[in-house]
Short mmCIF file of all heavy atoms in Angstrom, two decimals:
data_model
loop_
_atom_site.label_atom_id
_atom_site.label_comp_id
_atom_site.label_asym_id
_atom_site.label_seq_id
_atom_site.Cartn_x
_atom_site.Cartn_y
_atom_site.Cartn_z
N TYR A 1 100.56 153.21 -10.43
CA TYR A 1 100.79 154.65 -10.58
C TYR A 1 99.63 155.44 -9.98
O TYR A 1 98.48 154.99 -10.01
CB TYR A 1 100.94 155.00 -12.06
CG TYR A 1 102.03 154.20 -12.75
CD1 TYR A 1 101.70 153.18 -13.64
CD2 TYR A 1 103.37 154.45 -12.50
CE1 TYR A 1 102.69 152.43 -14.28
CE2 TYR A 1 104.36 153.71 -13.13
CZ TYR A 1 104.02 152.69 -14.02
OH TYR A 1 105.00 151.96 -14.63
N GLY A 2 99.94 156.63 -9.47
CA GLY A 2 98.93 157.44 -8.79
C GLY A 2 98.07 158.26 -9.71
O GLY A 2 97.50 159.28 -9.26
N ASP A 3 97.95 157.85 -10.98
CA ASP A 3 97.12 158.62 -11.91
C ASP A 3 96.35 157.75 -12.89
O ASP A 3 95.90 158.22 -13.93
CB ASP A 3 97.99 159.61 -12.69
CG ASP A 3 99.05 158.91 -13.54
OD1 ASP A 3 99.16 157.67 -13.46
OD2 ASP A 3 99.76 159.61 -14.29
N GLY A 4 96.17 156.44 -12.57
CA GLY A 4 95.50 155.55 -13.50
C GLY A 4 94.38 154.77 -12.84
O GLY A 4 94.56 154.23 -11.74
N LEU A 5 93.22 154.71 -13.50
CA LEU A 5 92.06 154.01 -12.96
C LEU A 5 91.70 152.84 -13.87
O LEU A 5 91.87 152.91 -15.09
CB LEU A 5 90.87 154.96 -12.85
CG LEU A 5 91.05 156.14 -11.90
CD1 LEU A 5 89.87 157.09 -12.00
CD2 LEU A 5 91.21 155.65 -10.46
N SER A 6 91.17 151.78 -13.27
CA SER A 6 90.83 150.59 -14.04
C SER A 6 89.81 149.75 -13.27
O SER A 6 89.67 149.89 -12.05
CB SER A 6 92.09 149.75 -14.30
OG SER A 6 91.78 148.57 -15.00
N ASP A 7 89.13 148.87 -13.99
CA ASP A 7 88.26 147.89 -13.34
C ASP A 7 88.93 146.52 -13.32
O ASP A 7 88.26 145.49 -13.28
CB ASP A 7 86.90 147.82 -14.02
CG ASP A 7 86.97 147.38 -15.48
OD1 ASP A 7 88.08 147.20 -16.01
OD2 ASP A 7 85.89 147.24 -16.11
N VAL A 8 90.24 146.49 -13.34
CA VAL A 8 90.99 145.23 -13.31
C VAL A 8 90.63 144.43 -12.06
O VAL A 8 90.42 145.00 -10.98
CB VAL A 8 92.51 145.50 -13.37
CG1 VAL A 8 92.98 146.34 -12.19
CG2 VAL A 8 93.29 144.20 -13.44
N ASP A 9 90.52 143.13 -12.20
CA ASP A 9 90.20 142.24 -11.09
C ASP A 9 91.47 142.01 -10.28
O ASP A 9 92.33 141.21 -10.65
CB ASP A 9 89.66 140.91 -11.65
CG ASP A 9 89.15 139.98 -10.56
OD1 ASP A 9 89.72 139.98 -9.45
OD2 ASP A 9 88.19 139.23 -10.83
N ILE A 10 91.59 142.72 -9.17
CA ILE A 10 92.80 142.70 -8.35
C ILE A 10 93.06 141.31 -7.78
O ILE A 10 94.20 140.84 -7.71
CB ILE A 10 92.71 143.74 -7.22
CG1 ILE A 10 92.61 145.17 -7.81
CG2 ILE A 10 93.90 143.63 -6.27
CD1 ILE A 10 93.81 145.59 -8.63
N GLY A 11 91.99 140.61 -7.38
CA GLY A 11 92.15 139.28 -6.84
C GLY A 11 92.67 138.30 -7.87
O GLY A 11 93.58 137.50 -7.60
N ALA A 12 92.10 138.36 -9.08
CA ALA A 12 92.55 137.48 -10.16
C ALA A 12 93.98 137.80 -10.57
O ALA A 12 94.77 136.91 -10.90
CB ALA A 12 91.62 137.61 -11.37
N LEU A 13 94.34 139.08 -10.54
CA LEU A 13 95.70 139.51 -10.85
C LEU A 13 96.70 138.89 -9.88
O LEU A 13 97.73 138.34 -10.29
CB LEU A 13 95.77 141.05 -10.80
CG LEU A 13 97.16 141.69 -10.79
CD1 LEU A 13 97.91 141.39 -12.08
CD2 LEU A 13 97.02 143.22 -10.58
N TYR A 14 96.39 138.95 -8.60
CA TYR A 14 97.30 138.40 -7.58
C TYR A 14 97.41 136.88 -7.73
O TYR A 14 98.51 136.31 -7.63
CB TYR A 14 96.81 138.77 -6.18
CG TYR A 14 97.81 138.47 -5.10
CD1 TYR A 14 98.77 139.41 -4.72
CD2 TYR A 14 97.80 137.24 -4.44
CE1 TYR A 14 99.70 139.14 -3.72
CE2 TYR A 14 98.72 136.96 -3.44
CZ TYR A 14 99.66 137.92 -3.08
OH TYR A 14 100.58 137.64 -2.10
N ASP A 15 96.29 136.23 -7.95
CA ASP A 15 96.31 134.77 -8.11
C ASP A 15 97.08 134.35 -9.36
O ASP A 15 97.76 133.32 -9.35
CB ASP A 15 94.88 134.24 -8.16
CG ASP A 15 94.17 134.33 -6.81
OD1 ASP A 15 94.87 134.50 -5.78
OD2 ASP A 15 92.93 134.25 -6.78
N PHE A 16 96.98 135.13 -10.43
CA PHE A 16 97.74 134.86 -11.64
C PHE A 16 99.23 134.93 -11.35
O PHE A 16 100.02 134.06 -11.77
CB PHE A 16 97.36 135.88 -12.72
CG PHE A 16 98.19 135.82 -13.97
CD1 PHE A 16 97.94 134.87 -14.95
CD2 PHE A 16 99.20 136.75 -14.18
CE1 PHE A 16 98.71 134.83 -16.11
CE2 PHE A 16 99.97 136.71 -15.33
CZ PHE A 16 99.72 135.74 -16.30
N HIS A 17 99.62 135.96 -10.61
CA HIS A 17 101.04 136.10 -10.25
C HIS A 17 101.50 134.91 -9.40
O HIS A 17 102.58 134.35 -9.64
CB HIS A 17 101.25 137.41 -9.47
CG HIS A 17 102.65 137.60 -9.00
ND1 HIS A 17 103.64 138.14 -9.78
CD2 HIS A 17 103.25 137.28 -7.81
CE1 HIS A 17 104.77 138.18 -9.11
NE2 HIS A 17 104.56 137.65 -7.91
N SER A 18 100.70 134.54 -8.44
CA SER A 18 101.08 133.42 -7.57
C SER A 18 101.21 132.13 -8.35
O SER A 18 102.09 131.31 -8.07
CB SER A 18 100.03 133.26 -6.46
OG SER A 18 99.95 134.42 -5.65
N ALA A 19 100.37 131.95 -9.36
CA ALA A 19 100.36 130.71 -10.13
C ALA A 19 101.59 130.57 -11.03
O ALA A 19 102.14 129.46 -11.16
CB ALA A 19 99.09 130.62 -10.96
N HIS A 20 102.04 131.67 -11.66
CA HIS A 20 103.18 131.52 -12.58
C HIS A 20 104.52 131.52 -11.85
O HIS A 20 105.53 131.06 -12.39
CB HIS A 20 103.14 132.54 -13.71
CG HIS A 20 103.34 133.98 -13.30
ND1 HIS A 20 104.47 134.45 -12.69
CD2 HIS A 20 102.53 135.07 -13.47
CE1 HIS A 20 104.36 135.77 -12.48
NE2 HIS A 20 103.20 136.16 -12.95
N GLY A 21 104.58 132.04 -10.64
CA GLY A 21 105.78 131.89 -9.82
C GLY A 21 106.97 132.73 -10.22
O GLY A 21 108.07 132.51 -9.71
N LYS A 22 106.78 133.70 -11.10
CA LYS A 22 107.91 134.54 -11.52
C LYS A 22 107.99 135.80 -10.65
O LYS A 22 107.17 136.01 -9.77
CB LYS A 22 107.79 134.88 -13.00
CG LYS A 22 107.87 133.62 -13.87
CD LYS A 22 107.82 133.94 -15.35
CE LYS A 22 107.91 132.65 -16.17
NZ LYS A 22 107.86 132.91 -17.63
N LYS A 23 108.98 136.64 -10.93
CA LYS A 23 109.24 137.76 -10.04
C LYS A 23 108.28 138.94 -10.22
O LYS A 23 108.09 139.72 -9.28
CB LYS A 23 110.68 138.27 -10.24
CG LYS A 23 111.74 137.30 -9.76
CD LYS A 23 113.14 137.90 -9.92
CE LYS A 23 114.19 136.93 -9.40
NZ LYS A 23 115.57 137.49 -9.54
N ALA A 24 107.69 139.07 -11.41
CA ALA A 24 106.90 140.27 -11.66
C ALA A 24 105.74 139.99 -12.60
O ALA A 24 105.85 139.18 -13.53
CB ALA A 24 107.78 141.37 -12.24
N THR A 25 104.64 140.69 -12.36
CA THR A 25 103.48 140.69 -13.25
C THR A 25 103.09 142.13 -13.54
O THR A 25 103.01 142.95 -12.61
CB THR A 25 102.28 139.96 -12.62
OG1 THR A 25 102.62 138.60 -12.37
CG2 THR A 25 101.07 140.01 -13.53
N VAL A 26 102.86 142.44 -14.80
CA VAL A 26 102.37 143.75 -15.20
C VAL A 26 100.99 143.56 -15.83
O VAL A 26 100.75 142.59 -16.53
CB VAL A 26 103.33 144.44 -16.20
CG1 VAL A 26 103.55 143.58 -17.45
CG2 VAL A 26 102.83 145.82 -16.59
N THR A 27 100.09 144.48 -15.56
CA THR A 27 98.78 144.43 -16.21
C THR A 27 98.91 145.04 -17.60
O THR A 27 99.32 146.20 -17.75
CB THR A 27 97.73 145.18 -15.38
OG1 THR A 27 97.57 144.49 -14.13
CG2 THR A 27 96.40 145.22 -16.10
N ALA A 28 98.59 144.25 -18.62
CA ALA A 28 98.68 144.69 -20.01
C ALA A 28 97.32 145.18 -20.47
O ALA A 28 96.32 144.47 -20.36
CB ALA A 28 99.16 143.54 -20.90
N VAL A 29 97.27 146.40 -20.97
CA VAL A 29 96.03 147.01 -21.46
C VAL A 29 96.25 147.46 -22.90
O VAL A 29 97.38 147.55 -23.37
CB VAL A 29 95.59 148.18 -20.56
CG1 VAL A 29 95.29 147.70 -19.15
CG2 VAL A 29 96.66 149.27 -20.51
N ARG A 30 95.15 147.78 -23.57
CA ARG A 30 95.25 148.09 -24.99
C ARG A 30 94.58 149.45 -25.30
O ARG A 30 93.47 149.50 -25.80
CB ARG A 30 94.57 146.99 -25.81
CG ARG A 30 95.04 146.92 -27.26
CD ARG A 30 94.00 146.19 -28.12
NE ARG A 30 93.78 144.82 -27.73
CZ ARG A 30 94.37 143.76 -28.31
NH1 ARG A 30 95.22 143.93 -29.28
NH2 ARG A 30 94.08 142.55 -27.91
N PRO A 31 95.27 150.56 -25.04
CA PRO A 31 94.73 151.87 -25.35
C PRO A 31 95.28 152.40 -26.67
O PRO A 31 95.72 151.64 -27.51
CB PRO A 31 95.20 152.72 -24.18
CG PRO A 31 96.53 152.14 -23.89
CD PRO A 31 96.49 150.67 -24.27
N LEU A 32 95.31 153.73 -26.79
CA LEU A 32 95.81 154.35 -28.02
C LEU A 32 97.32 154.18 -28.14
O LEU A 32 98.02 153.88 -27.18
CB LEU A 32 95.45 155.83 -28.04
CG LEU A 32 93.96 156.15 -28.03
CD1 LEU A 32 93.74 157.65 -27.98
CD2 LEU A 32 93.27 155.55 -29.25
N ALA A 33 97.84 154.43 -29.34
CA ALA A 33 99.24 154.16 -29.63
C ALA A 33 100.20 155.22 -29.14
O ALA A 33 101.37 155.17 -29.47
CB ALA A 33 99.41 154.00 -31.14
N ARG A 34 99.75 156.17 -28.32
CA ARG A 34 100.66 157.20 -27.85
C ARG A 34 101.57 156.69 -26.74
O ARG A 34 102.44 157.40 -26.26
CB ARG A 34 99.88 158.43 -27.37
CG ARG A 34 98.91 158.17 -26.23
CD ARG A 34 97.98 159.37 -26.05
NE ARG A 34 96.93 159.11 -25.09
CZ ARG A 34 96.85 159.71 -23.91
NH1 ARG A 34 97.77 160.57 -23.53
NH2 ARG A 34 95.85 159.45 -23.10
N PHE A 35 101.38 155.43 -26.29
CA PHE A 35 102.21 154.84 -25.27
C PHE A 35 103.13 153.79 -25.87
O PHE A 35 102.88 153.28 -26.95
CB PHE A 35 101.34 154.18 -24.19
CG PHE A 35 100.43 155.13 -23.47
CD1 PHE A 35 99.14 155.37 -23.94
CD2 PHE A 35 100.85 155.80 -22.34
CE1 PHE A 35 98.30 156.23 -23.29
CE2 PHE A 35 100.01 156.67 -21.68
CZ PHE A 35 98.73 156.89 -22.16
N GLY A 36 104.18 153.42 -25.12
CA GLY A 36 105.02 152.31 -25.53
C GLY A 36 104.28 151.00 -25.37
O GLY A 36 103.38 150.88 -24.56
N ALA A 37 104.64 149.99 -26.16
CA ALA A 37 103.92 148.71 -26.16
C ALA A 37 104.77 147.59 -25.59
O ALA A 37 105.99 147.66 -25.55
CB ALA A 37 103.49 148.36 -27.59
N LEU A 38 104.08 146.53 -25.16
CA LEU A 38 104.74 145.33 -24.68
C LEU A 38 104.87 144.33 -25.82
O LEU A 38 103.92 144.09 -26.56
CB LEU A 38 103.92 144.69 -23.56
CG LEU A 38 103.68 145.54 -22.30
CD1 LEU A 38 102.75 144.78 -21.35
CD2 LEU A 38 104.98 145.85 -21.61
N ASP A 39 106.05 143.73 -25.97
CA ASP A 39 106.27 142.66 -26.94
C ASP A 39 105.98 141.34 -26.22
O ASP A 39 106.74 140.90 -25.38
CB ASP A 39 107.72 142.71 -27.43
CG ASP A 39 108.00 141.64 -28.48
OD1 ASP A 39 107.06 140.97 -28.93
OD2 ASP A 39 109.17 141.48 -28.82
N LEU A 40 104.82 140.71 -26.56
CA LEU A 40 104.36 139.55 -25.83
C LEU A 40 104.48 138.27 -26.64
O LEU A 40 104.26 138.26 -27.85
CB LEU A 40 102.89 139.74 -25.44
CG LEU A 40 102.57 140.87 -24.46
CD1 LEU A 40 101.07 141.03 -24.32
CD2 LEU A 40 103.21 140.60 -23.12
N HIS A 41 104.83 137.19 -25.95
CA HIS A 41 104.75 135.85 -26.51
C HIS A 41 103.83 135.08 -25.57
O HIS A 41 104.25 134.62 -24.52
CB HIS A 41 106.13 135.20 -26.56
CG HIS A 41 106.11 133.83 -27.17
ND1 HIS A 41 106.00 133.63 -28.53
CD2 HIS A 41 106.18 132.60 -26.61
CE1 HIS A 41 105.99 132.33 -28.77
NE2 HIS A 41 106.10 131.69 -27.62
N GLY A 42 102.55 134.97 -25.93
CA GLY A 42 101.56 134.49 -24.98
C GLY A 42 101.40 135.53 -23.90
O GLY A 42 101.11 136.69 -24.18
N THR A 43 101.62 135.15 -22.64
CA THR A 43 101.60 136.12 -21.54
C THR A 43 103.01 136.49 -21.08
O THR A 43 103.17 137.24 -20.13
CB THR A 43 100.81 135.56 -20.34
OG1 THR A 43 101.46 134.38 -19.87
CG2 THR A 43 99.37 135.28 -20.72
N ASN A 44 104.01 135.96 -21.76
CA ASN A 44 105.39 136.24 -21.38
C ASN A 44 105.86 137.53 -22.04
O ASN A 44 105.76 137.71 -23.26
CB ASN A 44 106.29 135.08 -21.82
CG ASN A 44 107.74 135.32 -21.43
OD1 ASN A 44 108.61 135.30 -22.28
ND2 ASN A 44 108.00 135.54 -20.16
N VAL A 45 106.38 138.46 -21.22
CA VAL A 45 106.87 139.74 -21.74
C VAL A 45 108.31 139.58 -22.19
O VAL A 45 109.20 139.29 -21.38
CB VAL A 45 106.75 140.85 -20.67
CG1 VAL A 45 107.24 142.18 -21.25
CG2 VAL A 45 105.33 140.97 -20.17
N ARG A 46 108.57 139.78 -23.48
CA ARG A 46 109.92 139.62 -24.03
C ARG A 46 110.69 140.94 -24.10
O ARG A 46 111.90 140.97 -23.95
CB ARG A 46 109.81 139.03 -25.45
CG ARG A 46 109.23 137.62 -25.47
CD ARG A 46 110.16 136.62 -24.77
NE ARG A 46 109.63 135.27 -24.77
CZ ARG A 46 109.76 134.41 -25.76
NH1 ARG A 46 110.40 134.77 -26.87
NH2 ARG A 46 109.26 133.21 -25.67
#
């Protein structure tokens, strides 16, 4: 998105995606509760 900043490791993110072989990877962050949350089982988004 064109309005969010982070120090996420872009290289590690890409390698993580390549390793699991699925169609999509989202970066999960933990801010305040004013946003919707991800229901996770390990790293799998349910």
